């Protein structure tokens, strides 16, 4: 299990195991890691731990959060990273290989609201403009793991007829965008971790576990919703045809036949 070692001026104060999916750090007593110092905000930062991976997120603190001497908003932690909050330091220890540093981590899918594409000429069949743009750090729904970046053919709308939800992750699953200019496009959830949302606004992660697929809030002041209800800070298991709304975009989770 990953852990944090809290120290100040070289003196070790306490060790904390990262057994929770969300570990809060701050000056107020309700935090999981309380740092009673005026340089630390009441709710300063949070550590999100999913499977063997941990992220640190600054919660809009007054004095900011540093990792290895550099200010961060959100940072994927690696073994021996040092989080600095005021004069206090939290050293991260995790001697197991991080999944997010390998091919098991799906890069963040950015969702952007774009202006509608101009109407095509009568004889042409232009592909719809994608609301998801690809870069070195972002997944493109139109070319999943493809170097050729070939356009994905149109995907039929998923039927929402009732079906028995799966209780295991052996079945393959996917998400399909229901709103925005890329509505109808889908992405298979083939990785252990798939992050979705809009960095700086709302980000969540969908985790593939032995017991099934789970969605957890990672970044943003407000939480994504699942079937119209806020998911809060805890992980929620996904069932067939669950509706997710994140960063103003609706999508559907479904198990593949």
């Amino acid at each position: 299990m990953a852990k944090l070692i809290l120290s100040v001026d070289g003196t070790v104060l306490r060790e904390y195991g990262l057994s929770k999916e969300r570990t809060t750090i701050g000056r107020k007593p309700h935090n999981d890691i309380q740092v009673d110092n005026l340089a630390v905000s009441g709710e300063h930062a949070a550590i999100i731990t999913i499977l063997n991976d941990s992220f640190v997120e600054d919660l809009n603190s007054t004095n900011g959060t540093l990792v290895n001497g550099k200010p961060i908003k959100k940072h994927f932690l690696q073994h021996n990273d040092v989080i600095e909050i005021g004069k206090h330091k939290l050293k991260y220890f995790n001697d197991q290989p991080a999944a997010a540093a390998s091919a098991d981590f799906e890069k963040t899918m950015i969702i952007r609201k774009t202006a509608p594409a101009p109407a095509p000429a009568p004889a042409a069949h232009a592909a719809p403009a994608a609301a998801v743009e690809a870069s070195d750090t972002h997944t493109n729904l139109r070319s999943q793991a493809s170097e050729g970046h070939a356009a994905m053919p149109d995907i039929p709308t998923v039927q929402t007829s009732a079906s028995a939800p799966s209780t295991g992750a052996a079945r393959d699953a996917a998400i399909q965008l229901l709103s925005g200019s890329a509505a109808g496009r889908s992405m298979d959830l083939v990785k252990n971790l798939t992050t979705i949302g809009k960095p700086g606004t709302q980000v969540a992660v969908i985790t593939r576990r032995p017991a099934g697929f789970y969605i957890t809030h990672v970044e943003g002041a407000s939480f994504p919703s699942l079937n119209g209800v806020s998911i809060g800070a805890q992980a929620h298991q996904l069932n067939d045809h669950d509706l997710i709304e994140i960063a103003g975009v609706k999508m559907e989770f479904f198990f593949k036949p």
Side-chain angles (χ1 to χ4, degrees):
M1 180 177 65
K3 63 182 179 180
L4 293 171
I5 303 295
L6 176 65
S7 65
V8 61
D9 297 329
T11 301
V12 174
L13 302 179
R14 191 172 174 182
E15 177 180 315
Y16 298 89
L18 296 177
S19 58
K20 298 174 60 177
E21 290 191 343
R22 186 177 179 88
T23 302
T24 58
I25 307 168
R27 191 177 70 254
K28 293 182 179 179
H30 68 263
N31 288 282
D32 300 299
I33 301 177
Q34 184 186 11
V35 182
D36 191 9
N37 187 282
L38 291 177
V40 180
S41 296
E43 295 178 351
H44 196 105
I47 307 289
I48 296 92
T49 301
I50 301 169
L51 297 179
N52 193 43
D53 296 319
S54 295
F55 304 81
V56 57
E57 177 189 2
D58 181 79
L59 301 178
N60 297 315
S61 64
T62 301
N63 294 314
T65 301
L66 306 181
V67 175
N68 302 328
K70 297 180 180 180
I72 59 94
K73 175 60 182 174
K74 185 179 70 171
H75 176 82
F76 172 72
L77 290 169
Q78 300 185 59
H79 184 56
N80 285 330
D81 275 354
V82 177
I83 304 168
E84 298 178 51
I85 296 178
K87 292 184 178 181
H88 288 73
K89 295 183 179 181
L90 288 157
K91 190 166 185 178
Y92 176 75
F93 288 92
N94 188 353
D95 55 5
Q96 298 184 33
S102 69
D104 285 336
F105 184 69
E106 189 73 50
K107 303 298 183 183
T108 301
M109 177 180 69
I110 285 189
I111 301 171
R112 294 194 178 116
K113 294 182 179 179
T114 57
H125 297 281
V132 183
E133 298 179 0
S135 70
D136 288 340
T137 58
H138 301 121
T139 299
N140 185 340
L141 289 183
R142 294 179 301 168
S143 59
Q144 301 177 53
S146 171
E147 295 296 330
H149 303 289
M152 177 186 291
D154 291 337
I155 307 295
T157 301
V158 172
Q159 299 298 317
T160 56
S161 56
S163 61
S166 171
T167 58
R171 294 178 63 186
D172 292 330
I175 53 174
Q176 182 180 45
L177 297 180
L178 302 179
S179 64
S181 58
R185 298 188 181 279
S186 65
M187 181 172 67
D188 293 340
L189 300 173
V190 296
K191 306 295 184 181
N192 285 340
L193 300 174
T194 302
T195 51
I196 58 174
K198 183 178 181 181
T201 303
Q202 268 187 335
V203 175
V205 61
I206 296 176
T207 314
R208 184 185 182 112
R209 306 181 186 180
F213 289 84
Y214 290 76
I215 183 170
T216 307
H217 172 74
V218 172
E219 178 185 353
S222 59
F223 300 109
S225 66
L226 182 63
N227 300 321
V229 179
S230 172
I231 66 172
Q234 301 303 315
H236 286 260
Q237 187 168 13
L238 292 169
N239 293 314
D240 204 13
H241 301 305
D242 273 351
L243 298 178
I244 302 166
E245 184 170 352
I246 183 167
V249 174
K250 295 180 180 180
M251 59 190 71
E252 180 180 20
F253 170 88
F254 63 95
F255 288 104
K256 302 181 71 177

